[in-house]
């Protein structure tokens, strides 16, 4: 569809600049990166604004109105996971080797972000090819709890018809993703001297009984809920902590549960089921336990129907620009698509690079995919913001 070439030299320069800005989360501190992106898009003719949900935790929103038509948004995140150890080169210096660009965030998700910025620039330069409202919504904190996207979604945003979320998908189309809930559960006991354990109730032993019930619930109740693109729902335990002294029977033990939801599951109903599990443990196994907190997560599960126009055009664009297996697929994890779906937008997840290297040392994005992603983003936007949409 596109009849003009993206500026690959500029894209590499922009990715170099963005990788050099440390947005490791925690602590995040995305403000400098947000200002960098704002400068690029302001120069291209967009109206820019910032929103902060905490000091330094900044979203940047770019808007370009170009006549009547739908509202189309590009979204990805400014933060990265911590760089960690084991890198072959400086993680904050973009390094090119053997057709790859290495650096923290190169594929998750500063590479997709730069490809989106290039698409936005090209669309701004060729306004005669489309009509409607074009947005770039680049958010903070996706890697921990999606607080930036949640804040944006609740801060009276404009109606968005279509959204493309940038995450490393090897330039394939993902139209669904899982969601998660993480309850912290405290199992109760009665303290006693470890020399006379029969005078107490060992909370660790009680937790062991609960662990068996959790595993049973996963196999008999939860995992049978299956979605065609994302697979099975799940329930597992990811952390356990109990005891406070070497010679004391513990009266408390804490578990962190990870409940992965599939599209179609209701968050309130899942929370009720988790409470029912604890009620069952008390009534049938004598285990006293309660949910004491809910850990922050990226959010719930969602999907966009495969027959929707944005999915069809995304598949066509991915195939046109080198992806022989364009999807649609589903994420096992979560991302910010769910928050744009909550605003009414139909959306997909597409981007260069692979999750297989995203959070590891020597993270990289293939240069060919990186450049192709900008073309893919352009084609999807042009298909959904055609000039004839003006009336």
């Amino acid at each position: 569809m596109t009849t003009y070439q993206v500026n690959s030299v500029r894209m590499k320069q922009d990715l170099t600049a963005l990788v050099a800005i440390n947005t490791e989360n925690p602590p995040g501190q995305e403000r400098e990166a947000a200002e960098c992106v704002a400068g690029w898009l302001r120069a291209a003719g967009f109206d820019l604004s910032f929103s902060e949900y905490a000091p330094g935790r900044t979203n940047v929103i770019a808007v370009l109105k170009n006549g009547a038509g739908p509202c189309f948004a590009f979204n990805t995140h400014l933060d990265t996971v911590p760089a960690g150890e084991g890198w072959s080169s400086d993680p904050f210096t973009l390094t090119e080797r053997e057709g790859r660009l290495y650096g923290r965030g190169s594929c998750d998700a500063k590479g997709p972000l730069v490809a989106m910025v290039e698409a936005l620039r090209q669309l701004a330069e060729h306004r005669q090819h489309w009509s409607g409202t074009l947005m770039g919504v680049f958010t903070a904190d996706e890697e921990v709890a999606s607080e930036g996207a949640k804040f944006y979604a609740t801060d009276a945003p404009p109606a968005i018809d279509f959204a493309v979320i940038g995450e490393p998908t090897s330039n394939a189309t993902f139209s669904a993703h899982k969601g998660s809930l993480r309850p912290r559960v405290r199992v109760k006991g009665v303290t006693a001297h470890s020399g006379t354990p029969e005078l107490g109730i060992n909370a660790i032993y009680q937790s062991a009984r609960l662990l068996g019930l959790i595993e049973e619930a996963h196999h008999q109740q939860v995992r049978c809920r299956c979605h065609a693109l994302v697979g099975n729902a799940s329930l597992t335990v990811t952390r356990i902590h109990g005891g406070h002294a070497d010679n004391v029977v513990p009266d408390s033990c804490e578990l962190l549960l990870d409940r992965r939801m599939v599209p179609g599951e209701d968050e309130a109903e899942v929370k009720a089921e988790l409470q029912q599990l604890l009620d069952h443990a008390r009534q049938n196994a004598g285990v006293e336990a309660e949910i004491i907190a809910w850990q922050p997560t990226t959010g719930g599960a969602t999907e966009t129907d495969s027959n929707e126009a944005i999915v069809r055009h995304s598949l066509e664009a991915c195939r046109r620009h080198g992806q022989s297996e364009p999807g649609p697929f589903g994420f096992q994890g979560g991302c910010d698509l769910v928050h744009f779906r909550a605003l009414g937008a139909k959306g997909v997840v597409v981007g260069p690079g692979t999750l297989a290297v995203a959070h590891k040392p020597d993270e990289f994005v293939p240069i060919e995919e990186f450049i192709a992603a900008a073309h893919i983003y352009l084609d999807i936007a042009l298909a959904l913001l055609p000039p004839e949409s003006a009336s």
Side-chain angles (χ1 to χ4, degrees):
M1 287 183 61
T2 53
T3 57
Y4 39 87
Q5 291 295 314
V6 302
N7 188 332
S8 60
V9 173
R10 178 170 60 186
M11 288 177 66
K12 288 184 182 181
Q13 291 172 342
D14 289 349
L15 187 55
T16 297
L18 206 56
V19 166
I21 301 172
N22 184 337
T23 55
E24 293 174 295
N25 187 12
Q29 298 300 312
E30 296 90 350
R31 181 76 191 198
E32 183 181 354
E35 290 178 347
C36 177
V37 172
W40 296 334
L41 292 177
R42 189 178 290 111
F46 286 79
D47 294 324
L48 271 296
S49 62
F50 299 101
S51 66
E52 287 194 344
Y53 69 90
R57 309 309 305 273
T58 308
N59 300 329
V60 57
I61 300 101
V63 181
L64 180 61
K65 296 182 178 180
N66 188 41
C71 179
F72 183 102
F74 289 113
N75 160 261
T76 189
H77 56 96
L78 297 158
D79 62 321
T80 70
V81 297
E85 303 296 327
W87 286 76
S88 301
S89 55
D90 180 359
F92 301 108
T93 300
L94 194 70
T95 304
E96 182 173 343
R97 300 194 301 272
E98 299 177 344
R100 299 170 173 177
L101 298 173
Y102 289 84
R104 178 51 88 217
S106 57
C107 76
D108 189 15
K110 292 179 177 180
L113 194 157
V114 166
M116 287 178 165
V117 167
E118 183 63 24
L120 289 166
R121 283 169 164 153
Q122 295 288 342
L123 290 162
E125 187 176 343
H126 298 86
R127 301 182 200 192
Q128 72 276 17
H129 292 168
W130 60 278
S131 180
T133 298
L134 185 63
M135 298 184 68
V137 182
F138 303 120
T139 54
D141 189 55
E142 189 272 349
E143 293 292 1
V144 172
S146 288
E147 293 294 348
K150 292 173 184 175
F151 181 79
Y152 173 79
T154 58
D155 193 31
I160 296 174
D161 298 289
F162 306 106
V164 174
I165 314 299
E167 292 284 351
T169 70
S170 299
N171 282 350
T173 296
F174 284 62
S175 57
H177 66 73
K178 288 183 177 180
S180 58
L181 288 170
R182 295 194 183 101
R184 282 175 54 203
V185 175
R186 179 176 293 156
V187 181
K188 302 175 184 178
V190 176
T191 190
H193 192 288
S194 59
T196 54
E198 67 278 4
L199 299 181
I201 299 175
N202 192 314
I204 293 177
Y205 289 165
Q206 295 295 88
S207 295
R209 295 184 178 95
L210 180 58
L211 291 174
L213 295 174
I214 292 169
E215 185 176 18
E216 182 180 292
H218 166 73
H219 288 291
Q220 296 186 4
Q221 179 184 4
V222 176
R223 71 184 302 269
C224 61
R225 297 172 188 174
C226 189
H227 184 272
L229 297 182
V230 303
N232 299 325
S234 62
L235 174 63
T236 192
V237 179
T238 58
R239 290 180 183 269
I240 184 168
H241 176 77
H244 65 276
D246 293 349
N247 58 351
V248 177
V249 172
D251 64 351
S252 177
C253 184
E254 287 191 11
L255 311 177
L256 183 65
L257 278 55
D258 186 298
R259 174 65 161 87
R260 295 290 166 147
M261 299 175 290
V262 299
E265 287 195 288
D266 179 77
E267 185 171 317
E269 291 179 1
V270 171
K271 285 186 174 182
E273 288 178 358
L274 291 166
Q275 183 58 54
Q276 290 165 11
L277 173 61
L278 300 187
D279 294 341
H280 172 76
R282 183 182 66 255
Q283 295 163 7
N284 294 275
V287 177
E288 293 288 339
E290 62 178 345
I291 297 171
I292 59 172
W294 297 90
Q295 293 290 96
T297 67
T298 53
T302 195
E303 67 177 323
T304 301
D305 190 278
S306 296
N307 293 319
E308 292 288 350
I310 190 168
V311 179
R312 292 187 283 103
H313 288 303
S314 181
L315 293 170
E316 292 168 4
C318 292
R319 185 179 294 109
R320 185 181 302 118
H321 295 287
Q323 176 50 267
S324 60
E325 297 182 5
F329 301 113
F331 267 134
Q332 296 300 303
C335 74
D336 283 344
L337 175 60
V338 64
H339 305 299
F340 285 83
R341 293 287 289 129
L343 295 173
K346 299 176 174 66
V348 293
V349 185
V350 182
T354 171
L355 285 175
V357 302
H359 290 185
K360 296 182 178 180
D362 289 340
E363 174 185 349
F364 68 86
V365 63
I367 296 173
E368 188 175 349
E369 283 185 18
F370 175 50
I371 306 305
H375 287 286
I376 291 168
Y377 295 149
L378 275 166
D379 282 7
I380 299 171
L382 289 168
L384 294 165
L385 296 171
E388 59 267 23
S389 65
S391 58

